[in-house]
Amino acid sequence: MRFLDANEYQALIQGAKLLREDGYGPKVYQAPGGRIIKLFRIKRWLSSSVIYPYNLRFLQNSRRLQRMGIICAEVDEVFYCHAIRRHGLVYRRLDGTPLDELLFSADERARHLFREYAVFVAMLHMRRIYFRSLHPGNILLLPEGGFGLIDDADMRFPRLPLSQARRRRNFQHMFRSVEFRNALDLLPGALFVTAYLEASDLDFAAKASLGRQLLGDIEALDTSV
């Protein structure tokens, strides 16, 4: 990991376009050459993110995904800047369109992408990939077709197959995201759930049980607004 002082950090973001920020400050920049600079805030000093920061998790997860043949961002550099108290990384911009930008419609193309999104999630689950941030804003539709992943920090690769309960937890994180809820304003949740179950490796009873649970979780979203 490279350690940057304040001047080196300013040189890194010189001329970069701010893409995303929150109440704590900048989160993502795009550098003039097209590379992405992503910053990670340490939310709690007594946490595993101090020992194993999110930029290193992102790097290791990206390398593992690439070995598995899953398209994701390629990291060029990881760094820490004490002046801004942020870990960060620089990665090559992955060409594609965020899926959430393509699901603001009820036409047949959006329905097709919604189904393919579900099939993609089923493939990740079958390969024992547990990605908490699987909402459509973190999935790109690639120019040549298929999907790629971005924001790979919050991911695990358990040794055992994902249980029904763990899959449901993964979906609950997804369902609560703004990006997925916006898609549900126009596209039926049952379409997504059915496509996932048809592509999954669960047995008949598990599919039926998980399907009921997921449809119930989606229905509960309407009552929580």
Side-chain angles (χ1 to χ4, degrees):
M1 185 185 302
R2 182 182 172 200
F3 292 89
L4 305 182
D5 61 26
N7 291 332
E8 290 170 324
Y9 173 72
Q10 289 301 320
L12 179 67
I13 64 170
Q14 181 69 35
K17 177 183 178 182
L18 179 62
L19 298 181
R20 188 178 302 175
E21 63 181 331
D22 60 16
Y24 296 95
K27 294 181 66 176
V28 183
Y29 289 96
Q30 181 171 313
R35 297 193 304 169
I36 303 298
I37 303 166
K38 184 172 178 63
L39 303 174
F40 297 90
R41 178 174 63 90
I42 299 176
K43 298 178 183 179
R44 297 184 304 276
W45 286 99
L46 294 176
S47 72
S48 61
S49 63
V50 177
I51 300 172
Y52 187 29
Y54 282 106
N55 60 344
L56 292 183
R57 299 183 197 191
F58 191 114
L59 173 63
Q60 295 300 324
N61 291 343
S62 295
R63 288 175 173 174
R64 187 162 184 173
L65 289 171
Q66 288 164 10
R67 290 195 298 268
M68 299 172 73
I70 296 172
I71 297 174
C72 61
E74 293 188 32
V75 178
D76 287 337
E77 179 183 11
V78 293
F79 65 85
Y80 175 72
C81 180
H82 182 72
I84 62 169
R85 297 182 182 273
R86 295 288 189 275
H87 290 95
L89 54 83
V90 181
Y91 63 87
R92 303 172 204 175
R93 183 179 178 274
L94 187 62
D95 288 334
T97 306
L99 191 55
D100 62 329
E101 296 180 9
L102 301 171
L103 297 179
F104 283 105
S105 169
D107 63 18
E108 187 52 40
R109 181 170 186 258
R111 293 173 67 90
H112 172 75
L113 288 174
F114 205 38
R115 288 191 294 265
E116 291 301 303
Y117 171 28
V119 172
F120 180 66
V121 174
M123 181 274 292
L124 295 178
H125 284 176
M126 285 189 285
R127 301 188 72 173
R128 304 180 188 182
I129 299 171
Y130 183 85
F131 183 24
R132 280 174 55 103
S133 302
L134 255 180
H135 62 72
N138 279 337
I139 297 177
L140 297 183
L141 178 65
L142 305 174
E144 64 275 15
F147 296 115
L149 293 177
I150 59 176
D151 200 3
D152 306 333
D154 200 0
M155 185 177 295
R156 297 176 186 174
F157 301 85
R159 294 182 180 179
L160 298 176
L162 269 63
S163 66
Q164 178 181 326
R166 195 164 195 177
R167 294 176 193 228
R168 184 186 182 191
R169 284 198 302 273
N170 203 173
F171 281 114
Q172 287 172 332
H173 289 298
M174 185 195 307
F175 292 163
R176 287 194 293 266
S177 70
V178 173
E179 295 86 350
F180 197 92
R181 293 179 71 144
N182 286 340
L184 287 177
D185 288 339
L186 293 168
L187 298 162
L191 180 70
F192 183 89
V193 172
T194 299
Y196 172 85
L197 294 174
E198 289 177 348
S200 76
D201 55 348
L202 298 172
D203 62 35
F204 179 82
K207 286 183 179 183
S209 175
L210 181 59
R212 288 191 297 270
Q213 291 172 335
L214 297 181
L215 291 174
D217 291 336
I218 290 174
E219 184 178 352
L221 294 175
D222 295 331
T223 62
S224 66
V225 175

